[in-house]
Amino acid sequence: MRRPPASATQTGVSLIELMITIALFVILAMMAFPIFTTWLASQQVRSATEAVLDGIHIAQGEAIKRNQAVRFVLDPAVGWQAQLVSDDSVLREGLFKEGSSRVSVTATPVGTDTVVFDGIGRIFKDDGVTPLDDRISFDVDTSTGIGGVRALRVVIDTAAATGVGIRSCDPALVSTDPRACPT
């Protein structure tokens, strides 16, 4: 039996096979890109929400630890700071550029971007004297305009049974869901 010449056996892939593989890869990548973009924007919203929540808890913890008034200051464009009220020194800070640079943070009521915790963890308005008597919320949403991104909210509620309730929630959920925001 005769063997075919060595030049007749195929090695590697043909140009057509390579083009089909590249075309399939491009189609799959184009289908996945919108999903990936939405997922990335959602992760940035979650990261910023957790940063604000952590900052509030840190400020309250520092106030209790030091038995002194500590101020939580939110700058929606930059991040947050926990400051010692007595000398305005910065104890800790968190920047939104660290994982969540494309978010918008809005305080409600307007202008309530500063709260003060006293030495036992009670919360006061930014003057440090007037007890907080209403709910403060920080709404975190994407600033990219990408659809399908779930906005989140950080709520400081003085009507909680413990005196101060600080939590994150989802404003889009119905009130019977435990992840929903208080009404």
Side-chain angles (χ1 to χ4, degrees):
M1 178 182 290
R2 257 168 117 189
R3 298 175 93 187
S7 63
T9 59
Q10 180 182 1
T11 58
V13 294
S14 70
L15 183 60
I16 292 175
E17 291 170 334
L18 182 63
M19 289 174 58
I20 290 172
T21 303
I22 290 172
L24 287 173
F25 176 74
V26 168
I27 290 170
L28 290 174
M30 288 176 62
M31 289 172 49
F33 184 73
I35 296 168
F36 176 73
T37 305
T38 302
W39 175 81
L40 188 61
S42 294
Q43 292 302 316
Q44 289 182 344
V45 167
R46 166 122 355 247
S47 176
T49 302
E50 289 175 0
V52 170
L53 186 63
D54 288 345
I56 294 169
H57 284 288
I58 287 169
Q60 186 180 34
E62 287 289 335
I64 294 169
K65 180 174 83 173
R66 296 170 184 270
N67 196 21
Q68 293 183 30
V70 172
R71 179 183 309 120
F72 171 79
V73 181
L74 178 71
D75 183 348
V78 179
W80 59 267
Q81 288 185 340
Q83 303 171 346
L84 198 57
V85 171
S86 60
D87 62 0
D88 293 331
S89 61
V90 176
L91 301 173
R92 302 269 300 269
E93 68 180 339
L95 303 174
F96 290 147
K97 69 180 181 183
E98 297 169 356
S100 54
S101 58
R102 295 186 179 122
V103 297
S104 64
V105 181
T106 309
T108 305
V110 176
T112 54
D113 54 358
T114 301
V115 292
V116 176
F117 293 96
D118 71 356
I120 57 174
R122 294 179 301 182
I123 192 166
F124 293 87
K125 293 184 178 177
D126 59 354
D127 63 3
V129 178
T130 311
L132 186 67
D133 55 357
D134 52 353
R135 183 179 296 147
I136 294 177
S137 63
F138 301 107
D139 291 319
V140 183
D141 201 356
T142 184
S143 62
T144 60
I146 297 171
V149 177
R150 189 178 73 194
L152 295 174
R153 179 178 292 159
V154 175
V155 177
I156 303 173
D157 194 359
T158 58
T162 59
V164 177
I166 303 168
R167 63 179 283 228
S168 67
C169 57
D170 188 342
L173 297 175
V174 294
S175 61
T176 56
D177 192 317
R179 299 169 296 160
C181 295
T183 55

